[in-house]
Amino acid sequence: MTSQVPATNAVSFGAAIFRFSWLYVLTAIAVVVIAVLLEEFLHLDMSKNSFLGVLPLMTAGTGTGQYYASRTGMKPRGLKAWSIALVGVLISLAFNLAVIFGFVALTDSWQKFGLGSMPRLYGNEQWLVPLVVGGLFLLLVALTRMFLWMGANPVVKKLRKDVTGTF
């Protein structure tokens, strides 16, 4: 049994991307501040927590999915959902690169990050680099799409429950 949830408003692509962007930036800043505070005051080594890098992407994706579902009454689907995920990942990559290169430029720490002496691949290994980078990019887009769904799904279920009056 499927019940239709009445659409209240349309969400433009730009509004969804704007929501994703500011949620991503705020969460990324909060994660860094919290990690620094945990390292400083509790002496926890946060550099070994690989989940911290995905947390802003997850928060932005689920928040955007919730926003979309609360405004439209449905989950983002098809090309619109994949477009939001793709542009969201591009925005997150641009933000991260700007922060990294801004930090490196301000502190003049190219050697600290190993950017002065990058390892070189020779011979048969060179084809792996675009394959790995492309695979990681596609994985991030798929994860962001899943986070959009994860954010929208509970909102749509609640709206259906409210419309049908079932428990």
Side-chain angles (χ1 to χ4, degrees):
M1 175 178 151
T2 61
S3 61
Q4 294 294 334
V5 177
T8 56
N9 292 314
V11 174
S12 70
F13 180 75
I17 293 303
F18 180 72
R19 173 68 57 125
F20 185 94
S21 300
W22 69 261
L23 281 172
Y24 183 86
V25 170
L26 288 178
T27 307
I29 292 169
V31 164
V32 170
V33 168
I34 291 170
V36 167
L37 290 174
L38 287 173
E39 285 182 355
E40 185 67 30
F41 294 114
L42 298 180
H43 306 292
L44 297 174
D45 186 12
M46 300 305 289
S47 66
K48 293 186 177 31
N49 193 340
S50 61
F51 177 71
L52 290 179
V54 178
L55 192 58
L57 201 59
M58 184 177 80
T59 304
T62 55
T64 304
Q66 288 171 347
Y67 169 73
Y68 188 93
S70 67
R71 302 275 295 175
T72 64
M74 57 189 212
K75 302 171 204 165
R77 297 182 189 267
L79 185 60
K80 190 165 194 172
W82 284 106
S83 299
I84 293 169
L86 175 66
V87 173
V89 169
L90 291 174
I91 288 169
S92 69
L93 290 175
F95 175 77
N96 287 324
L97 286 175
V99 168
I100 289 169
F101 287 122
F103 177 77
V104 168
L106 287 174
T107 60
D108 197 31
S109 58
W110 293 100
Q111 295 300 325
K112 181 179 179 183
F113 285 102
L115 297 175
S117 60
M118 293 292 284
R120 306 248 190 266
L121 295 176
Y122 298 103
N124 295 333
E125 301 96 19
Q126 290 179 348
W127 67 273
L128 287 172
V129 174
L131 185 67
V132 170
V133 170
L136 288 174
F137 180 78
L138 291 176
L139 177 66
L140 286 175
V141 171
L143 278 174
T144 304
R145 173 65 180 94
M146 182 186 73
F147 295 145
L148 284 169
W149 178 85
M150 286 172 50
N153 197 41
V155 174
V156 170
K157 283 185 178 182
K158 183 185 180 315
L159 289 172
R160 283 187 185 147
K161 186 174 109 179
D162 292 346
V163 166
T164 60
T166 59
F167 293 99

